[in-house]
Amino acid sequence: MKHFASLFLLCLALVACDKRPEISPDTLDGGVLFDPSLYQPATYLVSHANPHPSPAEAQRPVLLAVHGYSASTFEWSELRQWAGGRTDFSISQVLMGGHGRDYDSFKNASWRDWQAPVMEEYERLEQAGYRNISLAGSSTGCTVILELLARGYFSRHQAPRQVLLVDPNVVPSDKLLTLVGVVGPLLGYIEADNTTGEDKYWYHYRPYETLKELRTLVNLVRNDLQQGFRLPAGTQLKVYKSEKDDTADPVSAVLIHKGVQTSDGRAVDVSMVGSRLHVFTRLDLRESVTPQDRDNQRQAFEDMALRLTR
């Protein structure tokens, strides 16, 4: 086994001659394409679109939606499209720090930088007078939300009404993430298997520094879940998890179910979904989408809307 490991590392060293990729300008990494929320914040963030809500507007549910690692606000756009002209709730699509820009912005951002815009939008909404705020996350967006809950962030802020987690990445399916500290400096980066369309909304190249940050975050949250914590009073949580997932191991849902309780000690809701997709609620730009995938998305969106407005 030791000889195999040595050979593996040697092979990595041989292929990792250039630690910086050749970046095409027509990908998100290139610094030409940017997430549109950066220059049209009022289209994506309720705090910018309506900074002075009326009393009635302040009571209307606002869902703060957080995308995953290497992604962008695009990951939650289908929920907004599905909601259409509904006026019974609003959506804030938050761009995580270091995302949606260029390769170097992504490379140099820590997981706390990723998380910071979530807190900033939450606090802007709170300070503007909104009183019915909920959180939704996909993949690593779930992980940054769970970290906020575990460290007691909401003890100093109003509690979210709902926390809705789609394919939370607490236990990554790719176990090579555990080796990133060893192989990362040799590789410099890894390439994502994106479609051409996805390269405009997800990073094609993932610097090893960001993978180290991801590993740190998931390890921290996994430890929090193993120790266990309770939600703030008045907060409900639901997990929607694909049964087959090449990115986030389904055991992530088990850990959340065991590790998180409501304020009165009750179990949180978990729904296992008959899907092979990671972030099954995002279907646009995928190479193959089945009628079952469409049905899974619709059912999840309907359930989210019901939980927000009941």
Side-chain angles (χ1 to χ4, degrees):
M1 181 63 72
K2 290 182 179 178
H3 293 300
F4 175 80
S6 298
L7 179 60
F8 178 66
L9 293 176
L10 177 60
C11 291
L12 289 177
L14 290 173
V15 300
C17 297
D18 185 1
K19 301 301 191 299
R20 185 178 180 84
E22 293 185 10
I23 299 173
S24 170
D26 59 355
T27 66
L28 184 59
D29 316 63
V32 175
L33 303 174
F34 294 91
D35 190 275
S37 68
L38 292 170
Y39 50 86
Q40 295 177 327
T43 304
Y44 291 83
L45 300 174
V46 172
S47 66
H48 286 260
N50 189 8
H52 305 291
S54 68
E57 290 169 335
Q59 295 300 322
R60 187 180 304 152
V62 178
L63 180 65
L64 196 160
V66 189
H67 61 82
Y69 165 81
S70 83
S72 64
T73 57
F74 182 85
E75 199 158 71
W76 280 104
S77 292
E78 286 164 84
L79 175 60
R80 184 185 292 275
Q81 293 164 9
W82 175 85
R86 290 183 67 146
T87 58
D88 52 346
F89 67 91
S90 302
I91 302 169
S92 264
Q93 290 169 256
V94 175
L95 180 67
M96 288 205 297
H99 287 67
R101 297 164 174 88
D102 59 7
Y103 178 85
D104 288 320
S105 296
F106 186 36
K107 176 181 176 179
N108 294 327
S110 70
W111 73 261
R112 292 192 182 278
D113 295 326
W114 304 350
Q115 186 187 63
V118 181
M119 296 184 289
E120 290 166 5
E121 174 64 1
Y122 200 95
E123 291 169 23
R124 282 195 300 265
L125 291 168
E126 187 177 39
Q127 291 166 8
Y130 289 94
R131 292 294 174 262
N132 189 340
I133 308 172
S134 293
L135 293 162
S138 53
S139 191
T140 303
C142 304
T143 323
V144 301
I145 291 171
L146 286 167
E147 197 281 331
L148 289 173
L149 290 164
R151 69 174 157 95
Y153 170 81
F154 296 103
S155 65
R156 304 180 301 279
H157 300 277
Q158 65 171 291
R161 297 289 181 89
Q162 297 287 336
V163 177
L164 309 172
L165 306 179
V166 176
D167 290 333
N169 188 13
V170 176
V171 180
S173 296
D174 187 353
K175 306 312 176 189
L176 284 177
L177 188 64
T178 60
L179 300 175
V180 69
V182 177
V183 303
L186 299 174
L187 286 174
Y189 61 90
I190 62 171
E191 286 192 60
D193 187 22
N194 296 338
T195 66
T196 301
E198 287 172 336
D199 272 342
K200 300 182 186 304
Y201 301 99
W202 281 262
Y203 287 105
H204 183 86
Y205 298 104
R206 298 174 181 182
Y208 90 89
E209 291 89 348
T210 66
L211 293 167
K212 285 178 61 180
E213 292 297 318
L214 177 60
R215 184 190 61 181
T216 298
L217 175 60
V218 298
N219 286 346
L220 177 63
V221 170
R222 187 160 61 243
N223 183 64
D224 289 333
L225 291 170
Q226 289 168 347
Q227 293 186 19
F229 61 88
R230 292 194 176 189
L231 297 171
T235 298
Q236 300 295 316
L237 184 149
K238 181 166 183 178
V239 177
Y240 307 82
K241 187 73 194 74
S242 288
E243 293 177 349
K244 304 289 185 181
D245 188 334
D246 290 338
T247 299
D249 194 307
V251 77
S252 298
V254 177
L255 286 182
I256 295 170
H257 188 257
K258 290 182 176 180
V260 183
Q261 295 180 331
T262 62
S263 62
D264 55 0
R266 297 184 182 183
V268 300
D269 294 333
V270 174
S271 177
M272 300 305 294
V273 179
S275 172
R276 292 180 174 272
L277 301 178
H278 180 58
V279 187
F280 71 91
T281 50
R282 193 276 295 182
L283 302 179
D284 285 354
L285 303 182
R286 294 191 188 270
E287 290 183 337
S288 178
V289 174
T290 68
Q292 182 62 54
D293 294 330
R294 297 287 181 194
D295 196 47
N296 290 339
Q297 183 195 62
R298 177 188 57 78
Q299 289 186 42
F301 287 169
E302 288 177 352
D303 188 66
M304 291 177 182
L306 180 62
R307 294 175 73 91
L308 289 172
T309 58
R310 67 187 179 189

